[in-house]
Amino acid sequence: YVGLREYGAVNSLARVYMLDDKAQCVYDKYVAQREKVTDFRTDKTGIKEHHLEHGISLLRVREQIRMIVKGKPLIGYDMFNDIGVCLFF
């Protein structure tokens, strides 16, 4: 997540990265921001301003993720939070 608004107080999804059961990347996209990013949290996220310049909309990310995970079991850490952000569980 990157931070929005004063002091980066509001979290905003900035990147979605998914691995398959063999630890191979199946999805890696940056998410376009609808508001000005005030804290990239680069020390934690590795994300810099140029990464988000060609990001895709959160709506498009959600569509793509739904296609990838449809009918498949999901395993991971903090899935409620991460998948909830992407898919509106």
Side-chain angles (χ1 to χ4, degrees):
Y1 296 98
V2 292
L4 308 178
R5 304 197 185 142
E6 189 173 4
Y7 306 112
V10 176
N11 291 331
S12 180
L13 183 67
R15 186 178 187 184
V16 177
Y17 188 87
M18 294 177 62
L19 304 175
D20 65 13
D21 61 334
K22 295 170 183 64
Q24 299 299 308
C25 178
V26 295
Y27 193 83
D28 185 10
K29 300 287 183 190
Y30 289 99
V31 180
Q33 301 301 299
R34 296 173 58 178
E35 294 183 38
K36 179 178 172 43
V37 175
T38 56
D39 186 356
F40 286 92
R41 302 173 183 159
T42 304
D43 60 324
K44 295 179 182 83
T45 66
I47 296 172
K48 296 181 180 179
E49 185 172 7
H50 72 272
H51 291 118
L52 301 180
E53 289 174 359
H54 300 289
I56 63 175
S57 74
L58 183 56
L59 179 63
R60 184 72 182 131
V61 168
R62 286 180 173 142
E63 291 169 351
Q64 292 174 348
I65 296 293
R66 282 188 186 112
M67 296 293 289
I68 293 169
V69 303
K70 187 175 181 177
K72 296 179 178 144
L74 300 175
I75 301 169
Y77 175 78
D78 201 10
M79 296 294 287
F80 179 77
N81 181 56
D82 294 344
I83 297 299
V85 167
C86 289
L87 302 178
F88 283 122
F89 278 121

